Amino acid sequence: MPFELAPLPYAANALEPHVDARTMEIHHGKHHAAYTSNLNAAIQGTALDGESIEAILAKISSSSAAVRNNGGGFYNHNLFWNCMAPGKGGKPSGALSTAIDAAFGSFDAFKEEFSNAAKTRFGSGWAWLIVHDGKLVVCSSPNQDNPLMDDAPVKGTPILGLDVWEHAYYLNYQNRRPDYVSAFWNVVNWDFVSAQFQQALK
Ligand code: MN
């Protein structure tokens, strides 16, 4: 079975004014769609055909650039869409809230560290909140790399991701990446992130 582009979990305009509909349409319908079809083309007829995306990423160092870039792009955007939802934002609760306080001192301190990771990632890439050995860590990665890749400098299970490629914000925010990063907090779906956290601890 080839990988499939899942529909957005909400309407393209659902995250406005924080993320605009046109950006969502192009980002999901063109960029994510291209990563998906290019990944399928890159693994067709190879030993990777039929493996899970997580399994492919876990041994990415032995794959081609096409599998790395499109496999990362496929996985990263699947996570990203679900990390956001309309009418969300605010703060996490429960075990995730406790773990954030333990790792970073406070939610505000975590927000600042994650925002800085997003703002200072030079060029195209992602900011991440990951679970590493049961603990929360903030990191960033270039291009479509991610912390599931076996050759990532910081490894772990991503539970929150923010796309800082220009295609994620340029139509609405132009060069103002910090404004896009600030707006992101208004749409973070902490229920989803908490579920990912629980899953990563298993
Ligand atoms: Mn993207």
Side-chain angles (χ1 to χ4, degrees):
M1 270 296 285
F3 292 108
E4 289 182 8
L5 178 69
L8 279 176
Y10 34 73
N13 66 357
L15 304 181
E16 289 194 340
H18 310 295
V19 186
D20 65 289
R22 187 79 180 119
T23 294
M24 289 298 290
E25 286 164 1
I26 296 170
H27 199 173
H28 175 263
K30 303 293 182 189
H31 292 279
H32 195 189
Y35 294 127
T36 306
S37 60
N38 291 339
L39 171 62
N40 286 329
I43 64 172
Q44 190 177 26
T46 76
L48 299 176
D49 204 344
E51 295 206 8
S52 72
I53 188 61
E54 289 85 357
I56 291 172
L57 296 177
K59 54 187 173 189
I60 203 72
S61 61
S62 56
S63 285
S64 66
V67 175
R68 168 182 290 271
N69 294 333
N70 295 293
F74 173 74
Y75 175 92
N76 294 346
H77 291 86
N78 282 342
L79 182 76
F80 183 48
W81 308 135
N82 285 290
C83 284
M84 302 184 288
K88 296 290 187 175
K91 295 181 177 183
S93 59
L96 178 57
S97 173
T98 304
I100 285 176
D101 289 348
F104 305 101
S106 68
F107 179 69
D108 286 344
F110 154 70
K111 254 178 87 170
E112 186 176 355
E113 185 169 337
F114 186 97
S115 296
N116 284 338
K119 287 185 273 193
T120 60
R121 165 49 56 186
F122 185 75
S124 297
W126 291 76
W128 305 104
L129 175 63
I130 66 172
V131 177
H132 175 79
D133 287 342
K135 295 210 174 72
L136 293 172
V137 177
V138 163
C139 62
S140 70
S141 61
N143 306 313
Q144 295 296 351
D145 285 4
N146 73 44
L148 290 175
M149 293 179 169
D150 60 329
D151 53 4
V154 183
K155 282 191 272 295
T157 304
I159 64 170
L160 175 68
L162 174 57
D163 188 343
V164 295
W165 282 59
E166 285 186 347
H167 69 223
Y169 61 87
Y170 210 85
L171 288 179
N172 195 35
Y173 294 95
Q174 292 81 50
N175 61 316
R176 303 187 308 278
R177 188 193 290 185
D179 291 355
Y180 161 73
V181 173
S182 297
F184 173 66
W185 298 111
N186 295 308
V187 293
V188 173
N189 183 353
W190 289 111
D191 295 332
F192 173 79
V193 180
S194 287
Q196 295 298 111
F197 176 59
Q198 295 297 337
Q199 193 66 34
L201 291 179
K202 283 180 185 167

